[in-house]
Structure formats: C-alpha cells, structure tokens
Amino acid sequence: MTFSLDAATPMKQYSTHDKVDEERGGCRKSGSTITNVTRLVVLISFLALINFVPWFFERPSKGRIQRSNRLGVVPWNNHCAHTSPIDKFEYYRRQNALVEKLLALNASAYIAEPGASATFFGNISQTNWKLSERPLLLIITPSEALEGPLAKISVLTPKFEATRAKSLLVPSESPVQYIEWPEDANPYELASSAFPPTVTATIYVDSSIRKFIADGFELALPNASILSAPETIRELRERKSKAEIDLLKCANEVDLSAMMTNSTVCNLV
C-alpha cells in the first residue's frame, strides 16, 4: 500500500513559537479556572462570616446574663435608680461651711478653677469648661445676711464667653455675680471687685490652681496674701454627706458587679 501527498495541499509547519503559544493558552485557561474557584471560596467565606459575627457577639451576651444571674451577680442596669444627684441645698451647705472656715481663718475669699474643688463647691467641672489661657474662676467670699454669714458666689469669665458661662448651673442662695473681662483688661484686677473694699487679709486659692493665676492675683492685690488653701479647707471635701456616701456605695457595687461579670465571661470563653 502506498500513500501519496497532494502537492496542492501544503503540510502544516509547527514552529517552536507555536508550541509555546499553545502551552500558554493552556495555562491561561487553567489560571482562569483557579481564579474563579478562588473567588467562589472567598464569597462563601464572606457570607459565612456575616452570619457568624452576630451570633458570636449576641450568643455569649445572653449566656453572660444568665450565668451572672445564676452566680448572684447584681445587674447594673438601673442599679443606682434609687439614688439622686447632689441637690442645690447640699451645695448651699458646702458653700456656707467654706465661708465659716474663711471667717475663722481671717480670709477674704476662696478661688478655684474648673476641677474637683470647683465641682464640689460650685458644680463647675472640667467637663463643662476646659482650662485655657483665659481663666474662668469660681470666687467664694463671705457676705452678711440676717441669719448670719452667707456665701457670695462670683464667676470671673472672659467677656466673649460670658453667655456660655451664664449657662452653667452654679448653685447659689443669692444671685451669682458674673465678672466679665475683655481681652485688653487685667482679669485679676477686675476680679478684685468681688472682694471686700479693703482687702488686707488672706485670699486662698485651690491647691490645683495654675501658678500664673496665683501670680496674677499677687500683682493685682499687693496688700493681700495669696496662699494655697490649708488642710482645714481641703478636709471639707473629705467629709462625705449621706447623699455622697450613697452615690459612692452604688458606684462601688456597680464596679464590683462589672468585675465579677467580666471574670465569669473569661471563664466561659
């Protein structure tokens, strides 16, 4: 048997480049398949994660509540509902107790910046008023009343912030005096208007007051002694009333409950 080749039909020639192209085409097809499979796996993993995350955060939460109740841990939701914030009469007692101390020490005034002491005596905290180079000061001085010495409350405030300063809830048995100082004025000289006409006694400043404020009063009132408040005044904050004790006790119970619950959760995990 013989085979003949038609001369009109040329034999297909394969070169090295053709072979490489075919191999690359096969790789592209294989790579495309792998990419699609990878995308599908990522999509399935993402959908599973979406359904798992809420379960992860909500499921243990229910377990924590049930477990904590079984352990006798007090839930802190509305735990302090029976307590009340410090009322204005409590502030009046604090202010008048301070005035009695000032008179006993032959002092003319007590001055504090927003902070712990200003919060205790005048409900002015750093949450309500941030400290800046323009001081806002709480000034408490003794004044005479029919029933005896009474605390006079004054607030030194920058003039452009007077409106905001007057919106602060400062308890006082008598109207609060707001002393506004413009940018080109000396605030410490203007603050002296809250003091008695002849100030030759001592003026106490809170122990946490910034030094440039104490220095400013020393320059504005050369005849007065500007001193840090003594221990007899500081101890007024140390003696807690029943209302304060109730709030501290409740806060301690909530803190203890939270720590016990956290310990329970750690054991569950």
Side-chain angles (χ1 to χ4, degrees):
M1 182 181 294
T2 61
F3 296 89
S4 63
L5 295 174
D6 189 357
T9 304
M11 183 181 292
K12 186 176 181 180
Q13 300 293 326
Y14 286 90
S15 65
T16 304
H17 295 291
D18 294 333
K19 187 176 181 179
V20 172
D21 290 340
E22 289 182 359
E23 291 177 353
R24 288 179 177 176
C27 292
R28 283 196 294 270
K29 292 179 181 179
S30 176
S32 177
T33 303
I34 294 175
T35 301
N36 291 334
V37 172
T38 303
R39 290 175 179 174
L40 181 61
V41 171
V42 171
L43 178 60
I44 294 174
S45 301
F46 177 74
L47 294 175
L49 183 63
I50 292 177
N51 292 306
F52 176 75
V53 169
W55 177 87
F56 179 79
F57 285 103
E58 294 176 5
R59 180 75 176 273
S61 176
K62 296 178 182 178
R64 286 197 293 268
I65 294 175
Q66 295 173 359
R67 182 68 179 271
S68 63
N69 288 339
R70 288 199 300 269
L71 293 176
V73 180
V74 180
W76 56 81
N77 293 336
N78 299 322
H79 180 64
C80 296
H82 65 285
T83 62
S84 300
I86 302 299
D87 59 28
K88 62 180 181 180
F89 300 104
E90 178 80 17
Y91 282 103
Y92 297 164
R93 287 190 289 271
R94 295 174 180 178
Q95 294 166 359
N96 290 330
L98 174 60
V99 164
E100 292 178 0
K101 294 288 186 182
L102 292 177
L103 293 175
L105 295 169
N106 193 30
S108 299
Y110 173 83
I111 303 172
E113 284 191 282
S117 296
T119 301
F120 183 81
F121 291 113
N123 195 35
I124 303 178
S125 68
Q126 290 188 18
T127 302
N128 300 329
W129 197 283
K130 302 296 183 183
L131 300 183
S132 71
E133 72 281 2
R134 300 179 179 88
L136 177 133
L137 302 176
L138 173 70
I139 303 173
I140 300 178
T141 56
S143 65
E144 294 296 331
L146 295 177
E147 59 276 11
L150 187 68
K152 175 186 175 184
I153 309 299
S154 303
V155 175
L156 177 72
T157 174
K159 186 177 182 65
F160 75 96
E161 290 190 294
T163 301
R164 186 164 74 94
K166 293 176 181 179
S167 68
L168 297 174
L169 301 178
V170 182
S172 177
E173 290 188 82
S174 58
V176 178
Q177 177 187 9
Y178 292 91
I179 306 170
E180 304 175 16
W181 62 276
E183 291 288 313
D184 58 347
N186 186 330
Y188 311 106
E189 292 179 354
L190 294 178
S192 63
S193 63
F195 306 144
T198 55
V199 179
T200 57
T202 301
I203 295 177
Y204 287 123
V205 296
D206 183 60
S207 57
S208 63
I209 205 167
R210 290 173 292 178
K211 188 175 185 303
F212 76 88
I213 295 177
D215 292 342
F217 278 109
E218 286 183 347
L219 293 175
L221 303 170
N223 295 326
S225 298
I226 311 300
L227 303 176
S228 180
E231 185 177 354
T232 54
I233 290 180
R234 295 198 304 269
E235 70 181 7
L236 291 174
R237 286 179 49 201
E238 299 173 2
R239 297 180 179 178
K240 304 301 180 183
S241 64
K242 183 181 183 304
E244 291 177 282
I245 293 174
D246 289 342
L247 289 173
L248 291 172
K249 180 181 178 181
C250 186
N252 182 66
E253 292 173 351
V254 172
D255 188 37
L256 180 61
S257 178
M259 289 189 293
M260 293 178 65
T261 303
N262 185 56
S263 177
T264 302
V265 173
C266 292
N267 293 332
L268 288 175
V269 175

